[in-house]
Amino acid sequence: MSQKIVKIRDTEVGGDNPIFLITGPCQLESLEHARMMAEKIAEACEPTNTRFVFKASYDKANRSSIGTQRGLGVEKGLQILGDIAREFDVPVITDVHEPSHCAIAAEVVDVLQIPAFLCRQTDLLVAAGETGKVINVKKGQFLAPWDMGNVAAKIASTGNENIMLCERGTSFGYNTLVTDFRGLPTMAETGYPVVFDATHSVQQPGGKGNSSGGQREFAPVLARAACAVGVGGLFIETHEDPDNAPSDGPNMIPVDQMADLIANLRAFDALNKAG
């Protein structure tokens, strides 16, 4: 099956196009922090002319504990994302957790992201699809790769085929995830571009009791493997001080390491797509 090309502003995703990045801090902290992160990410991407979509969530509704930080909320969060989109002339993406948020978020962001835990919620998928925006839907930790065909079909039922399918690891016992790289070409058989989430594939869900742990040292390893197999894009969260980030710190790459990592990943991607 030929692969659809999804367009995010002027960036074409899928086929033999170079990988793009979905990258940024897990959770919005402030306009000043988002602005600083966007500037550092742009600098990291510039040497290889790598396109990126700035990612940060205004609400982390699926945190491990009631006591952990959820974010700035929809109104303030979307205002910040809109400011970043205009100031840096980059596309932006955020998670949506409720059908009622889809149309609101779509007024600001270029891509709506469906969290893995919610990837079978029909009303949410349909509401996201009805916005006409690009939808990045994460494969649930509990799903087989071939199950994502049904997920994509729910979105496509709205007439919107601007869909990307995102691999983020599969549950492997308690508090552990594993990545089956056979899943990348399997999901690509749907015809939609595949994104590999290196950040959450190394997460240890609930591994710290009231928060998730992770092994960020393996994120670059899995990202390289994904590029070698072949993907349309990579999801890699980053932060200037991951150990003190409010969410998913153990999985995030320090932003000062991103330029070298991006150059390395682009080389793997080019080698794969040259063949």
Side-chain angles (χ1 to χ4, degrees):
M1 178 183 293
S2 61
Q3 192 173 88
K4 297 176 176 63
I5 302 298
V6 170
K7 198 165 186 179
I8 305 174
R9 293 200 190 181
D10 60 349
T11 298
E12 292 189 341
V13 178
D16 291 329
N17 288 297
I19 54 166
F20 82 107
L21 296 183
I22 296 174
T23 185
C26 179
Q27 186 179 129
L28 279 169
E29 299 176 34
S30 67
L31 174 59
E32 293 72 21
H33 183 261
R35 185 180 283 136
M36 179 272 292
M37 289 301 304
E39 183 174 358
K40 289 183 178 294
I41 290 167
E43 291 172 355
C45 289
E46 194 276 332
T48 53
N49 193 31
T50 298
R51 301 297 184 92
F52 74 95
V53 178
F54 182 81
K55 185 270 171 186
S57 297
Y58 59 77
D59 182 18
K60 301 297 294 183
N62 50 8
R63 297 303 303 275
S64 299
S65 167
I66 191 68
T68 49
Q69 297 181 48
R70 285 185 51 167
L72 300 178
V74 59
E75 184 175 348
K76 186 173 182 180
L78 288 176
Q79 182 178 354
I80 290 173
L81 287 169
D83 288 343
I84 295 300
R86 287 187 294 273
E87 289 181 28
F88 292 88
D89 192 25
V90 295
V92 293
I93 179 174
T94 195
D95 297 302
V96 287
H97 299 87
E98 303 175 22
S100 62
H101 282 193
C102 292
I104 297 170
E107 293 179 4
V108 175
V109 305
D110 300 270
V111 185
L112 297 176
Q113 182 161 278
I114 307 297
F117 287 128
L118 302 178
C119 71
R120 286 182 54 168
Q121 295 297 104
T122 301
D123 290 347
L124 179 61
L125 294 170
V126 170
E130 287 175 342
T131 67
K133 293 289 184 174
V134 176
I135 312 299
N136 184 45
V137 55
K138 293 197 173 184
K139 179 180 74 64
Q141 301 91 324
F142 44 86
L143 289 185
W146 46 86
D147 292 332
M148 289 299 284
N150 291 327
V151 173
K154 291 181 180 182
I155 300 171
S157 72
T158 67
N160 181 0
E161 294 198 341
N162 298 313
I163 301 166
M164 302 184 297
L165 304 179
C166 186
E167 170 63 56
R168 53 92 73 232
T170 301
S171 295
F172 185 71
Y174 298 125
N175 304 124
T176 305
L177 300 171
V178 67
T179 300
D180 179 359
F181 284 97
R182 296 174 299 179
L184 301 180
T186 298
M187 287 199 293
E189 289 176 2
T190 62
Y192 298 107
V194 173
V195 175
F196 179 71
D197 179 351
T199 296
H200 294 93
S201 291
V202 299
Q203 186 186 59
Q204 296 170 320
K208 290 188 171 182
N210 62 358
S211 65
S212 292
Q215 295 176 295
R216 75 169 68 98
E217 66 271 22
F218 291 118
V221 178
L222 297 188
R224 286 193 293 269
C227 288
V229 172
V231 288
L234 294 169
F235 180 109
I236 303 176
E237 289 179 339
T238 184
H239 197 275
E240 84 284 1
D241 184 13
D243 290 335
N244 291 298
S247 177
D248 271 334
N251 317 315
M252 288 197 281
I253 301 295
V255 72
D256 61 5
Q257 297 177 16
M258 285 291 286
D260 288 343
L261 176 59
I262 292 167
N264 184 257
L265 296 173
R266 284 294 301 270
F268 274 80
D269 179 65
L271 183 63
N272 172 275
K273 290 170 180 171

